[in-house]
Amino acid sequence: MSLSSYLSPTRLLEGYLRRCLTSAGLTSQTLSIDSETTIHFWGPPPLDHRSDDDDRPVMLLLHGFGPSSMWQWRRQIQAFSPSVFRLYSPDLVFFGDSTSSSTNRTEVFQAECMAKLMEKIGIGKYNVVGTSYGGFVAYHMAKMWPEKVEKVVIASSGINMRKCDSESLLQRSNCECIEKVMLPSTATELRTLMALASSWRLVRMFPDALWNDVINNLYKKNRKEKIELLKGVTFGRNENLNIDPLSQEVLIVWGDKDQIFPVKMAYELKEILGEKTKLEIIDNTSHVPQIECAQEFNNIVLKFLKGS
């Protein structure tokens, strides 16, 4: 059973999300960052990008693997824009309406694209907040451009994963390959992902028709390229860690019930990233604390970035 487009709950919710972001002072924009890549993002109106008298700090939100940015950061955008931060929320390459003819599929490439976007907009310094796969991208941005990235928030992001961690995730999900977990193509697979990623039990009871509607609207576009992105991740290819401490102040935020990247990884990551790193664990929360426990997540991030 499928839902027609005009009855699609996913399409209706997408319209609501767009209105929320617009009400928060952001506009939907598309920018070619080079001859190969075009990035879609939500940000202040174009005339506000280079405002010299705007002393608000800049926040760059980087989403996780899954639906586009507006599905993952709505509660943060509503809380932080426009009064607290100049906020930019892009779709990573091959998510939403961001595209590229490049054959590069690593998260390092994603970091390079996000840095080019900010340079093209005219933003010299900014704070980066990344969740899950977006945390991979945030780490590389902070490492490669310490003169531009001021503070870093890494949420639910196992940049310290080893090959054994990936194998353990497949065991927990009862899947034979990572794309079955992160790019579900059936209602059963999506229900499994939701059980791993969210502590909300109610969502697992939704009927197959609703899950299939979500898959048709949010998971089918650029599926081939997204599978290549999963295979292109540089972390977790073997049992050796290939990460270094960061020079910036870093905040790690994690849910204590995370089943994608178990919370023990958060404690190890804190030790690796250096003495400027703080760790905040949110109780009774899984892999998406910015959605599951948005107010507490926002308070933690705001205190770290603004110091109050």
Side-chain angles (χ1 to χ4, degrees):
M1 178 181 178
S2 62
L3 297 170
S4 61
S5 59
Y6 64 90
L7 290 177
S8 165
T10 308
R11 292 284 184 88
L12 292 173
L13 183 53
E14 184 178 87
Y16 166 74
L17 293 173
R18 288 180 177 277
R19 291 191 296 273
C20 288
L21 271 57
T22 301
S23 297
L26 303 189
T27 61
S28 173
Q29 301 168 57
T30 301
L31 192 61
S32 294
I33 60 169
D34 57 32
S35 60
E36 296 182 314
T37 305
T38 299
I39 301 296
H40 171 265
F41 66 98
W42 288 88
L47 292 177
D48 293 348
H49 290 327
R50 301 172 186 266
S51 179
D52 294 332
D53 58 354
D54 192 337
D55 60 356
R56 291 174 299 165
V58 176
M59 175 186 285
L60 175 65
L61 294 171
L62 300 176
H63 63 82
F65 215 95
S68 64
S69 181
M70 68 176 174
W71 288 88
Q72 301 190 39
W73 291 119
R74 189 259 303 179
R75 295 286 297 276
Q76 287 64 52
I77 291 170
Q78 288 180 307
F80 296 147
S81 176
S83 59
V84 184
F85 294 97
R86 292 170 66 190
L87 199 150
Y88 294 86
S89 184
D91 294 335
L92 295 173
V93 180
F94 298 122
F95 296 87
D97 292 326
S98 294
T99 61
S100 180
S101 60
S102 170
T103 58
N104 195 325
R105 297 291 185 265
T106 68
E107 77 280 6
V108 178
F109 171 68
Q110 298 277 14
E112 292 169 346
C113 289
M114 295 302 105
K116 285 182 180 180
L117 172 68
M118 299 306 279
E119 182 177 1
K120 198 87 170 181
I121 292 171
I123 304 296
K125 292 183 180 292
Y126 42 90
N127 302 292
V128 180
V129 182
T131 182
S132 196
Y133 180 75
F136 297 177
V137 181
Y139 168 80
H140 285 296
M141 293 186 73
K143 182 179 178 181
M144 291 191 289
W145 295 284
E147 75 283 0
K148 296 181 179 181
V149 177
E150 296 183 308
K151 291 185 178 183
V152 187
V153 179
I154 295 175
S156 314
S157 185
I159 62 176
N160 54 325
M161 68 177 176
R162 300 170 173 84
K163 187 176 181 180
C164 61
D165 296 310
S166 299
E167 293 169 348
S168 295
L169 173 57
L170 293 180
Q171 290 175 358
R172 288 193 296 276
S173 62
N174 196 29
C175 292
E176 66 273 14
C177 56
I178 192 63
E179 56 262 34
K180 291 280 188 180
V181 182
M182 304 308 296
L183 281 172
S185 59
T186 68
T188 299
E189 290 174 359
L190 184 51
R191 192 177 284 109
T192 297
L193 174 59
M194 290 298 102
L196 289 169
S198 172
S199 59
W200 294 338
R201 296 184 180 274
L202 182 62
V203 298
R204 305 170 204 177
M205 301 169 63
F206 291 162
D208 283 2
L210 181 57
W211 291 128
N212 287 327
D213 182 63
V214 172
I215 289 169
N216 289 334
N217 285 283
L218 301 182
Y219 283 93
K220 283 193 171 181
K221 187 176 181 180
N222 295 330
R223 181 175 176 82
K224 172 180 174 291
E225 290 81 3
K226 288 176 181 175
I227 291 175
E228 293 169 354
L229 290 175
L230 286 172
K231 294 178 178 178
V233 171
T234 63
F235 299 124
R237 291 184 174 179
N238 51 50
E239 299 305 324
N240 300 318
L241 294 179
N242 59 340
I243 58 174
D244 300 306
L246 294 176
S247 60
Q248 299 94 335
E249 290 183 58
V250 180
L251 171 66
I252 300 171
V253 187
W254 223 277
D256 69 331
K257 299 292 191 295
D258 194 331
Q259 294 188 74
I260 302 291
F261 298 125
V263 71
K264 66 179 182 179
M265 297 180 71
Y267 292 98
E268 181 188 51
L269 185 58
K270 179 182 184 298
E271 298 304 314
I272 294 171
L273 289 184
E275 59 184 21
K276 293 183 179 180
T277 304
K278 299 178 181 179
L279 172 62
E280 293 281 353
I281 304 296
I282 300 180
D283 293 337
N284 301 312
T285 305
S286 189
H287 188 63
V288 284
Q290 79 276 15
I291 297 173
E292 297 174 87
C293 202
Q295 185 170 347
E296 185 172 355
F297 180 92
N298 292 349
N299 290 340
I300 290 169
V301 170
L302 184 62
K303 182 178 181 181
F304 172 70
L305 293 180
K306 297 282 283 185
S308 62

